[in-house]
Amino acid sequence: MSTTTSFSVATSPSHTSPRQRFIQNLAESELFQHYQKAFHTLTSLPLSLEAVREESPVEKIVTRQGVAGVVETQVPVRVGKNTIAVMLTGGVRLQPANADTFAPVAKALLDDGRSATEIRSAQVHFEHVPVMEPSRYEAAVAILQSFALQLGDSAHRMLFATATHEPEAVRNAKSFIHNHLAEPMSLEAVASAVNVSPFHFCKLFKRATGLTFTDFVNRARVEKAKRMLMKPAARITEVAYDVGFQSLSHFNRSFRRIADESPTEFRSRMKHGSPALMAA
């Protein structure tokens, strides 16, 4: 397990951005709430979900250890290849509390000029931090990693749902896009359909969804393709054109970029993982 000294978690600004509102909705979802309770029951640790800054992506699981030996771990949640949030565990110590493990803490406090009363208070707090075997903690982090994949899929579906807090032009644009996926589509045409200038629409759409217009359309097409590929009679080539891609090669490239697997691999995984669903 790797360690580092800091996290790249965004602090909350005075106003809530669309990205933060989206993560807040995800944190309040039934799926995350259920898993949060299950994780606490299993480990006695809290679990939170926090947005990350777009300019400071979190690419991998990172565990931080403080001077008191307390560790916290962040697990990235991705939509496609983009990290949108991190799950953050509560603090836990991987060694029991005793004089030897408290010694570095006491020294740091003494060096900082703290009083004997403050050091005794710190020791009481130190002894109340949950303790977990390293192997058990690693297993808990591995479970979080699996859940991050499921949460990312849920976030992907939520992303394409119409949100009431979004500007009317964005809500109308999403509806227009979903209703015309099979057709050639340009930013100018969609902007015209929702009565907004292309320049303003481009900025408004990116600010509200966190995606460029082109990326959103491609992701919406791939999402629809996934549903169509669940039907065993559907041919991959037909699916590609039915969701609006102009060539099979473009479909395959976009599908792999967004889903991290090819259409064939996705269909095979669904077939072996959910045979009843494939037969529906």
Side-chain angles (χ1 to χ4, degrees):
M1 185 180 299
S2 63
T3 60
T4 187
T5 58
S6 64
F7 283 114
S8 298
V9 180
T11 56
S12 298
S14 57
H15 64 282
T16 305
S17 69
R19 175 186 284 261
Q20 289 171 317
R21 286 198 299 269
F22 178 77
I23 299 306
Q24 183 178 346
N25 290 337
L26 186 62
E28 293 172 354
S29 67
E30 184 178 354
L31 176 63
F32 183 77
Q33 292 287 317
H34 174 76
Y35 197 86
Q36 187 182 48
K37 292 177 182 178
F39 184 78
H40 179 71
T41 299
L42 179 67
T43 66
S44 298
L45 298 177
L47 181 68
S48 62
L49 186 70
E50 301 182 12
V52 296
R53 291 190 297 267
E54 190 173 358
E55 65 274 13
S56 303
V58 179
E59 302 294 342
K60 61 182 180 180
I61 295 175
V62 179
T63 296
R64 178 183 65 182
Q65 180 170 324
V67 66
V70 177
V71 300
E72 294 177 331
T73 297
Q74 63 175 10
V75 179
V77 177
R78 297 184 178 89
V79 172
K81 294 185 178 180
N82 299 318
T83 300
I84 61 167
V86 291
M87 287 187 292
L88 185 63
T89 68
V92 63
R93 196 171 44 253
L94 305 183
Q95 292 180 322
N98 53 44
D100 290 337
T101 55
F102 183 69
V105 182
K107 182 179 184 305
L109 292 172
L110 282 171
D111 292 343
D112 196 38
R114 300 302 180 89
S115 67
T117 300
E118 289 175 314
I119 294 175
R120 282 195 296 272
S121 177
Q123 185 172 10
V124 171
H125 176 73
F126 180 85
E127 291 171 351
H128 281 82
V129 174
V131 179
M132 191 179 296
E133 290 289 332
S135 59
R136 187 164 173 248
Y137 186 70
E138 288 187 8
V141 172
I143 290 173
L144 283 182
Q145 187 175 16
S146 297
F147 177 60
L149 297 175
Q150 186 180 0
L151 193 61
D153 286 341
S154 178
H156 193 265
R157 290 190 296 271
M158 286 176 60
L159 184 65
F160 296 102
T162 300
T164 56
H165 66 261
E166 291 177 335
E168 183 180 1
V170 173
R171 297 199 303 271
N172 291 341
K174 283 185 174 183
S175 179
F176 182 91
I177 290 168
H178 287 300
N179 290 333
H180 297 82
L181 278 180
E183 306 167 16
M185 198 180 311
S186 67
L187 183 148
E188 291 76 13
V190 177
S192 176
V194 298
N195 299 313
V196 177
S197 73
F199 176 76
H200 181 60
F201 174 74
C202 185
K203 293 177 62 177
L204 188 68
F205 195 84
K206 176 71 185 303
R207 187 165 60 243
T209 67
L211 299 172
T212 65
F213 167 77
T214 300
D215 197 20
F216 183 92
V217 171
N218 284 338
R219 288 176 181 274
R221 284 172 169 161
V222 167
E223 190 68 17
K224 183 176 180 180
K226 286 181 178 180
R227 295 194 297 271
M228 296 178 68
L229 288 170
M230 300 292 280
K231 302 296 182 181
R235 298 177 59 185
I236 291 178
T237 302
E238 293 173 349
V239 169
Y241 287 103
D242 285 347
V243 299
F245 286 97
Q246 300 303 303
S247 71
L248 182 59
S249 60
H250 184 203
F251 172 63
N252 285 330
R253 285 196 307 271
S254 296
F255 198 103
R256 181 174 288 280
R257 178 179 63 84
I258 292 167
D260 250 358
E261 60 186 342
S262 71
T264 301
E265 290 168 341
F266 170 81
R267 167 172 271 177
S268 177
R269 182 168 62 84
M270 291 297 101
K271 180 179 181 180
H272 290 94
S274 306
L277 188 57
M278 288 293 293

